[in-house]
Amino acid sequence: MRTDLPLALLGSDEGQRADAILRSCVHCGFCNATCPTYLIEGDELDGPRGRIYLIKEMLETGIADTVTRTHLDRCLTCRACETTCPSGVKYGELLELGRETLENAPVRGLRDRLVRWGLRRIVPYPRRFGPLVALGRAVRGLLPRRLRTAVPPRFLTQPVTNPAPAPGPRAAGRVLLLEGCVQRVATPGVNDALRALLGARGVDVVTVRDEGCCGGLALHLGARADAEATMSRLLDALAPHLDGIDAILSTASGCGVTIKDYGRLLAHDSARAPLARRVAALTRDVAEYLGALSGDWARDPTLKRVAWHPPCTLQHGQRVTGVVERLLRQAGYELVPVVDAHLCCGSAGTYSLLEAARAERLGSAKRSALLAGAPDVIATANIGCQLHLSAAEPAAGPGNHQRVAVRHWIELLR
Ligand code: SF4
Ligand code: SF4
């Protein structure tokens, strides 16, 4: 793709990077075939190729308008287009720059800006988000439907009955577990389940008090400065605990994909860059770590058939594929076939709140696809997908109305 970015922009690292990404796109349009928003809207501007043109135009002219805002807001950041693209276009990175440019332009009304500010100020902070969730649960019946479905129900997680053995000299490994900000509030049993699994294998688990958010939420909202401040706080919290650690584990793939990218995201910050690279290099999705441990797992004897939903942040963002499936099969589960497993469920961070109608449509289609094989349980690897799919109403069809729980796959291993 030919570009004509202003010299002032090309003088910056970001401008150079945007130019290189734009030039790598040969506008073949293959990516449209796997873009969930293109598939439901049928509009070129709601596909990756169209959005790449919109970002290019915005960067070239310096003008951000409501058309660009609308179509970039509708992007899920699922990065299915990156997996599909034969030219290796780094769409997610380009979108980051596009969204940051948009957020610095006067293209949003006051209400929109307030909602986005509120999300950044509440969701990543368990001490603010936790009481709100508790209140939401108490008055769920009085809430409008859109808010009611956003409140995490209690049954998404189960108390762990076999707590991890105390750390000791027999340790076969030592990991730092990131407890996550939303997950810690909504499904605390997931991290407890992991502690129990790792403890049984002799792996010590350490956690960090007040670890905070990874910065992913602010980054997706185009609030770069806010995101970097949040990342820096997490780095400061992790720094004293890194010596002797084999890996930093994340059970929420949405957090893992951001932290693995810290080296790039903070490369311009000479004071933080070395620590950012170290943390990124140590970070593993829990599937990667468990997949490398020897021995077998057992299944929950009350469940057999599993419909697996790989979050976009795991399959497209981290490119971790096939590992959870292997572990679940080893444990004795039968994985039912699921069509269009590459498509996003519509959760996509704050997308399910900010683009609720599209998110509901995608969630409904995904839940139907997951239920088609008559599973006992739906399993996934990210708190956002778990909440969204739990609230989704499947499209009408045989067997689709059964209430099948959506669980984190870690909770299915014994
Ligand atoms: S598939 Fe890749 S090269 Fe082709 S239009 Fe999409 S982003 Fe551009
Ligand atoms: S990130 Fe997802 S929604 Fe956005 S353009 Fe790519 S495939 Fe489409």
Side-chain angles (χ1 to χ4, degrees), residues 249-250 252-253 260 283-289 314 318 320 409:
L249 296 189
S250 169
S253 58
K260 282 183 174 183
T283 301
R284 304 270 180 283
D285 185 84
V286 63
E288 294 174 284
Y289 190 81
L314 192 67
Q318 300 189 46
V320 174
W409 68 274

Side-chain angles (χ1 to χ4, degrees), residues 24-32 48-49 52 81 84-89:
S24 67
C25 174
V26 296
H27 36 95
C28 62
F30 287 171
C31 49
N32 282 350
R49 183 172 58 179
I52 289 171
C81 48
T84 306
C85 175
S87 302
V89 173

Side-chain angles (χ1 to χ4, degrees), residues 176 235 237-248 275 278-279 282:
L176 195 161
L235 286 174
L238 297 181
H241 306 277
L242 298 180
D243 289 342
I245 291 293
D246 305 321
I248 298 171
L275 179 58
R278 185 178 177 199
V279 165
L282 276 169

Side-chain angles (χ1 to χ4, degrees), residues 31-32 34-39 45-49 51-52 71-72 74-82 84 91-92 95 99 312 316 343-344 351 362:
C31 49
N32 282 350
T34 56
C35 172
T37 55
Y38 179 79
L39 294 176
L45 295 183
D46 282 317
R49 183 172 58 179
R51 290 181 177 125
I52 289 171
H71 296 289
L72 294 197
R74 286 183 190 168
C75 174
L76 295 142
T77 330
C78 68
R79 294 168 63 185
C81 48
E82 278 190 31
T84 306
Y91 172 84
L95 181 69
R99 285 192 168 150
C312 300
H316 303 305
L343 290 182
C344 179
Y351 192 93
L362 290 165

